[in-house]
Amino acid sequence: MKTLTLTLTGVLLATSAMVAPGMALAQTENPSAPVEQTPAAQSQTDIDQTPSTVDEIVVLGRFIPEPNRASPEVAAFLTAEDLQRTGDSTAAAALTRVTGLSVVEGRFVYVRGLGERYSSALLNGSPLPSPEPLQRVIPLDLFPSDILKGVTVQKTYSASFPGEFGGGVIDLQTLSTPTRPFFTMKASVGADTEFTGRNNLIYYGSRTDFTGFDDGTRSLPDGIDLAFRSGNRIQAGPNYTAAQLRTLGQSLENAPLRLLQKEQTPANLGFSLTGGNAMQTSWGTLGAVFVAGYDNSWKGRQGVRQSGRIDSGELVLADDYVFRSNENNIGLNLFGSLSLANDDNEIKWTNFYVRNVTKEARSVAGFDDLGGGAYRRTDYTEWFARQLFTTQLSGDHTAGAWDFTWRAAYAKTSRDAPYETQFGYGKNAAGDIIHNLQANRISFSNLDDTIVSGGADVSYTLPLSEAREAKFTLGVASSDNDRSSQQRLLHFIAPNGLTPEQQLSRVDYLFSDFNIGSTLQLEEITGSNGASAYDANLRINAVYGQVEAEIIPLVNLNLGVRFEDGKQSVNPFDLFGAATGFLPTEIDESYVLPAATVTWNFAEDMQLRFGASKTIGRPQFRELAPQQYTDVESDRTFIGNPYLVNTEFLNLDARYEWYFARNQYVTFGLFYKDLDKPVESSVVDQGASISQTFINAPKAIVQGVELEAKKFWEFPDNGLPFIASKRWLVSGNYTYSNSEVKVEDGDTVTTQSSLGVAQPASFYVIDGSRLQGQSDHVANLQFGWEDDAAKSQATIIVNYVSERTSARGRPGEPDLIQDPGVFLDLVYRKDFTVIGQDLGLAIELRNLLGTDYDEYQEQGRKIRINNYDLGSSASVSLTARF
């Protein structure tokens, strides 16, 4: 076989080879005769000159990276080298460097400006459940970068992926079997400028909170548990006597979980172990790799929360609060993978467990417009334990021209939030801060989400000629996603009021056993009508066919179609057995989803890609459930809309790629998306309070451009050894996207409060407004150097995301806008040896510009919806390699 690299002038030769492959090229049979070579052939070093004819012509771009060459789609890749260079600790942080991607709340990825509901996340090709009440998409901060060998972000759809594809799909690939034994130990310490070393709010909790598990202090008391299971509301009356209510009230934990204190915030700490090995057996190569990690970090916030309202046609200040928050985040992760591989077969078993706990103390104080301008303060103590466990068994088997791959996975997430406490305060006539019992709450909530999934593909490779081939694939996929969510709310009332001394007492004194029963009485205020519990299910079955072929020389076609049947249901139910007033929401739809991508390798190391597809987006469970939920990030109340429907997409893409040198390139892309019935968040009035709900806007258009470039420089020795001894890097990407929501006369929306009655869309959505979550500009820049002799590397990283709409305003009000701003980071790494031991030092400086978090509403005046300082941070880590 002879392999040639074709330049643009070689296209005609390749075309001739398609017509008469046996006569593509000829050489003199005399082996001693000289062989003339074209410039293209001379640039190819691996040419076997023994055969007298060329058996095959394969177009190879010398510098096109393997992932880009192998992928028939428009995609972006994060490699192990990229993850090391930027030093990001989680998958979410690392993905901020990818063209067209931005991350919200440090957890959820927006692709091309589309919200997280329009992007899906896979782990080694299998779907994942979410522990978040408001999202079905899993937060990517749960995945430490230590377990990843790479990340693929595919932006054009192919039929082998799930049909829920709006902005793109993110496939996280975990570590694979090493070629040789390794073991590393890593320790890190970090601090920030806002809170580290300063006195900040805390609450005690339990003695073992630092492990991510409490010592049982937050366990639901047995009596309360039995009362919840009885189906009877906890309140005075025929179900519970005063003595029983007193016993139940006294069983609740008091001071450790309710009393806010101040304590100096410590530094952030982290530890991890990584190792792997491989051995040869009679069955093939048996390999194993593992990762174990622990981190304990602190995040403080101090800022302003306001809200506005329209008065006489002008936006005026309604509520004005300052808040202070301190979070202790404890993370534990365990990863392990076993594999057995030989020339034709590979079986892999992958397991991952992560537990992420947030322990937060928060206080919000200010003036409430709905309360007549009176002073209000609310203190919170919270403990959110998120867990994910996933196990996957997969295989890849080859037999001649046939290839068979399969995968089966089970994944479960949970979110347990015991003892979410809320205690309110006001002021008396003398200006003293006193208890406001109407604002006290104790909440117990839990969420469980599981996915059982599987899939199989069978492929056959058909030679079209000596030069070309076609790969035909048939596949099936299935997933079954179950979720259950419940919340129980308790509070204390004082039937005969509080004494002046009790009004001024400390919170743990007021709620002591002495006062419970004599002054205070426990009462359950859990919502009825399905407002506090729901079960949900999403079952998807799909079959697809796909062909990938070089239809003519230099032109590859990936053509496929997917038939996907999806049935989604959300069933709100009353915890006390009453009718909910809501019928179960059910969306039962089948779709035929075509997809095609054409890649034209028109010149050496240059190619054009064109893609077109139809895909869908489904409302998330929480968006469909008529259950109120308070988001702790913003202290806003959300309520679902059971009348939402699926979103349908038309996707068009074009991209030019030029790989002019090894790992160096320029790409330029265009994209266009037509969304029918996109889901948007909207601020609405709910009686005397304000909530966010969800609606289907009539239509939206998103279009934009993407530009990416990466270039290395090496300078000759010019008397400046610092410059000449290094390899310099400049890498950048920029995405401009423009979105427009379309509202025409006669368009309607159906809201949760309208109970299924259509409302004029123009009352909730402004024609021509920007799609929620979409930023016009997203840009990243990396500048740095590598010094192989000194074993060092430094990178300056800049990330910019322009303003985006976070929620629609109430009818007649401007939208809520978030301004992410500019972030500047510096990462420095150096390897060295001490007493024969290989060590690695990493220094990471984040947010050097001190960019703050800014969400606002503006019309004449600016209302600061949520504003706080993020501060700058620094961390140092030391890695030992054995």
Side-chain angles (χ1 to χ4, degrees), residues 68 71 73-77 152-156 609 655 657:
N68 300 79
S71 172
E73 307 294 340
V74 174
F77 302 90
T152 299
V153 182
Q154 186 165 311
K155 299 179 183 179
T156 55
R609 297 184 190 268
R655 187 161 84 160
E657 302 172 1

Side-chain angles (χ1 to χ4, degrees), residues 366-606:
F367 298 91
D368 189 337
D369 185 59
L370 293 175
Y375 172 86
R376 293 177 182 269
R377 190 184 103 195
T378 308
D379 293 347
Y380 304 83
T381 64
E382 293 158 337
W383 171 272
F384 304 107
R386 301 181 295 166
Q387 288 191 155
L388 164 68
F389 170 72
T390 178
T391 182
Q392 183 196 61
L393 190 64
S394 61
D396 190 348
H397 312 278
T398 303
W402 294 90
D403 186 65
F404 176 64
T405 63
W406 55 273
R407 63 193 178 277
Y410 169 82
K412 179 176 181 179
T413 62
S414 64
R415 179 184 183 271
D416 189 23
Y419 280 101
E420 288 182 72
T421 69
Q422 170 186 323
F423 297 98
Y425 300 88
K427 285 186 178 180
N428 60 17
D432 299 319
I433 295 178
I434 60 174
H435 287 283
N436 173 17
L437 277 185
Q438 292 182 345
N440 84 86
R441 303 280 191 279
I442 301 174
S443 169
F444 295 87
S445 64
N446 59 78
L447 181 152
D448 291 304
D449 203 340
T450 62
I451 289 183
V452 179
S453 64
D457 304 314
V458 59
S459 301
Y460 176 75
T461 301
L462 174 68
L464 300 179
S465 71
E466 287 86 345
R468 298 175 296 113
E469 63 184 23
K471 182 179 180 181
F472 298 88
T473 302
L474 289 176
V476 294
S478 178
S479 66
D480 193 349
N481 183 192
D482 283 303
R483 170 177 283 205
S484 63
S485 174
Q486 289 192 22
Q487 182 184 45
R488 308 299 291 249
L489 281 172
L490 305 171
H491 79 163
F492 285 93
I493 60 173
N496 299 315
L498 300 178
T499 67
E501 293 77 12
Q502 290 172 332
Q503 289 181 336
L504 293 169
S505 64
R506 254 173 40 177
V507 63
D508 55 328
Y509 292 167
L510 175 63
F511 293 94
S512 64
D513 289 351
F514 176 81
N515 288 326
I516 294 175
S518 58
T519 302
L520 302 176
Q521 180 175 287
L522 184 66
E523 183 178 69
E524 185 172 4
I525 53 172
T526 298
S528 299
N529 299 324
S532 291
Y534 69 90
D535 291 331
N537 175 263
L538 173 60
R539 184 170 299 166
I540 299 172
N541 293 303
V543 59
Y544 52 90
Q546 187 170 280
V547 57
E548 183 183 345
E550 188 176 356
I551 51 176
I552 60 174
L554 308 177
V555 177
N556 279 276
L557 171 66
N558 188 29
L559 178 66
V561 62
R562 182 184 186 94
F563 174 78
E564 186 169 286
D565 179 70
K567 184 175 181 180
Q568 182 174 10
S569 63
V570 175
N571 181 26
F573 61 92
D574 193 284
L575 292 168
F576 309 107
T580 65
F582 290 100
L583 295 174
T585 298
E586 186 172 295
I587 303 175
D588 190 353
E589 297 281 358
S590 298
Y591 295 93
V592 175
L593 304 173
T597 302
V598 177
T599 302
W600 179 27
N601 190 188
F602 66 93
E604 186 176 78
D605 303 321
M606 292 188 190

Side-chain angles (χ1 to χ4, degrees), residues 103 203 260 360 650 699:
V103 175
Y203 72 96
L260 289 185
E360 182 177 8
L650 170 65
K699 187 177 180 179

Side-chain angles (χ1 to χ4, degrees), residues 17 92 214 369 694 711 754:
D214 84 345
D369 185 59
F694 306 93
K711 171 67 178 172
S754 70

